[in-house]
């Protein structure tokens, strides 16, 4: 893709007796994070109410024991119903356009045009939209941990207490030189599988940079890291292993945000 930069000859800002070519605008935009949103795990649904209410239905499946013909049957258990009511938090973010946003301001990218009101409005709306998108991404990631937090760290929702669930913890002692990294991953996948009603098609794990560094320094992991799939793809050793490499049945993908995505294939 090619970009055409329109040039205009104008008076130099540093020397009024000289002219200069006024070229295109360089925009320094903030990072826009949308990885969690792009995973499609959450759906944003508008509501006009201040709270949401939903029912939780609990049922049990069990293997029935055989009985003699004419004997007493095995009876099923009643389903459990529980109603949840959650107050919706409210975010109020505002901005405004006044004469101070345009008066005596030059239109960016031009040498002598006055800044238009429409430009100021579009800039404000764009910044507001970016702020809302970042908020959604943060809340989605926070909800994935089971404890949804506000921007200041205060707890908005605790899914573990709301649904009476005990959080399972898999501790990777990466500082232990004798750590069985294969066994740790196996235990982790088994723990996830025990809490699913179907076969796990994939597992996503997000960690910080320090955890990832400690993982790469594990001897067993390091050995695989340095000899990643050389038999299947000889060129991969010349690639960037900070992006992706295979470890047994687990693929490790390092994201720009410093996280890792681990898939169980």
């Amino acid at each position: 893709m090619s970009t055409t930069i329109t040039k205009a000859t104008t008076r130099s800002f540093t020397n009024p007796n000289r002219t200069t070519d006024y070229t295109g605008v360089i925009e320094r935009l903030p990072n826009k994070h949308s990885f969690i949103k792009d995973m499609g795990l959450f759906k944003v649904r508008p509501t006009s109410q201040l709270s949401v209410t939903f029912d939780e239905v609990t049922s049990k499946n069990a293997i029935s024991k055989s009985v003699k013909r004419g004997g007493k049957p095995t009876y099923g258990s009643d389903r459990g119903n529980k109603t949840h009511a959650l107050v919706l938090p409210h975010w109020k973010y505002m901005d405004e356009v006044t004469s101070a946003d345009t008066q005596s301001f030059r239109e960016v990218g031009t040498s002598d045009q006055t800044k238009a009101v429409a430009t100021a409005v579009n800039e404000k709306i764009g910044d507001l939209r970016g702020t809302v998108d970042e908020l959604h991404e943060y809340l989605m990631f926070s909800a994935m941990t089971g404890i949804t937090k506000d921007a200041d760290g205060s707890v908005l929702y605790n899914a573990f207490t709301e649904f009476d669930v005990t959080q399972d913890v898999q501790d990777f002692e990466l500082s232990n030189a004798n750590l069985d990294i294969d066994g740790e991953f196996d235990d982790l996948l088994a723990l996830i599988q025990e809490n699913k009603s179907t076969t796990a098609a994939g597992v996503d794990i997000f960690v910080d940079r320090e955890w990832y560094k400690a993982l790469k320094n594990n001897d067993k992991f390091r050995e695989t890291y340095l000899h990643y799939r050389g038999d299947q793809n000889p060129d991969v050793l010349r690639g960037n292993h900070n992006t992706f490499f295979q470890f047994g049945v687990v693929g490790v993908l390092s994201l720009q945000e410093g996280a890792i995505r681990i898939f169980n294939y």
Side-chain angles (χ1 to χ4, degrees):
M1 181 179 66
S2 61
T3 301
T4 301
I5 299 179
T6 303
K7 298 193 300 182
T9 302
T10 184
R11 179 181 295 179
S12 173
F13 291 108
T14 58
N15 188 342
N17 296 317
R18 302 292 297 272
T19 58
T20 183
D21 275 338
Y22 206 95
T23 59
V25 179
I26 297 178
E27 295 189 24
R28 301 184 63 176
L29 302 176
N31 291 333
K32 294 184 178 180
H33 306 93
S34 62
F35 183 77
I36 306 300
K37 178 182 178 182
D38 294 340
M39 293 176 68
L41 300 177
F42 297 88
K43 292 183 179 180
V44 179
R45 296 181 179 178
T47 178
S48 60
Q49 304 304 310
L50 303 180
S51 64
V52 293
T53 302
F54 56 92
D55 295 322
E56 177 189 0
V57 180
T58 304
S59 60
K60 296 181 180 179
N61 294 326
I63 300 176
S64 178
K65 183 180 180 299
S66 64
V67 297
K68 293 182 179 180
R69 297 184 183 276
K72 294 183 178 181
T74 301
Y75 290 93
S77 58
D78 295 334
R79 292 191 173 191
N81 298 324
K82 182 179 180 181
T83 301
H84 298 266
L86 302 178
V87 177
L88 296 178
H90 179 64
W91 287 269
K92 190 175 183 179
Y93 189 82
M94 300 177 60
D95 210 334
E96 59 184 8
V97 176
T98 66
S99 59
D101 293 307
T102 58
Q103 190 174 22
S104 299
F105 277 93
R106 176 178 52 82
E107 187 78 44
V108 174
T110 67
S111 59
D112 55 3
Q113 295 182 20
T114 303
K115 186 174 183 178
V117 174
T119 301
V121 171
N122 291 334
E123 290 175 349
K124 300 282 187 177
I125 293 177
D127 293 341
L128 286 170
R129 184 181 294 111
T131 298
V132 173
D133 290 342
E134 287 294 304
L135 174 63
H136 285 170
E137 183 75 5
Y138 169 78
L139 292 175
M140 290 177 185
F141 180 82
S142 182
M144 288 174 58
T145 67
I147 301 178
T148 307
K149 296 183 178 181
D150 209 340
D152 60 357
S154 59
V155 177
L156 296 174
Y157 302 113
N158 188 322
F160 300 108
T161 57
E162 182 69 30
F163 297 99
D164 194 21
V165 175
T166 301
Q167 184 179 17
D168 294 314
V169 178
Q170 177 72 24
D171 188 10
F172 283 71
E173 298 181 5
L174 298 176
S175 59
N176 182 6
N178 298 320
L179 176 67
D180 180 11
I181 194 69
D182 289 303
E184 292 291 341
F185 279 124
D186 289 341
D187 292 342
L188 175 64
L189 297 176
L191 182 63
I192 296 174
Q193 190 64 55
E194 289 174 359
N195 291 279
K196 283 182 59 66
S197 59
T198 59
T199 302
V203 178
D204 294 348
I205 301 177
F206 299 87
V207 302
D208 58 24
R209 291 183 177 88
E210 295 303 320
W211 196 94
Y212 185 42
K213 290 179 182 178
L215 177 66
K216 291 195 298 183
N217 288 331
N218 177 269
D219 291 340
K220 181 64 179 294
F221 199 86
R222 188 72 178 176
E223 179 182 354
T224 307
Y225 179 79
L226 296 175
H227 302 285
Y228 160 55
R229 295 179 69 181
D231 56 334
Q232 299 183 34
N233 188 355
D235 294 331
V236 78
L237 291 178
R238 295 194 290 269
N240 181 6
H241 299 294
N242 287 323
T243 302
F244 180 86
F245 67 96
Q246 190 75 18
F247 180 77
V249 297
V250 178
V252 179
L253 173 64
S254 175
L255 304 178
Q256 293 180 353
E257 288 80 3
I260 299 175
R261 190 176 185 181
I262 300 179
F263 294 94
N264 176 28
Y265 292 103

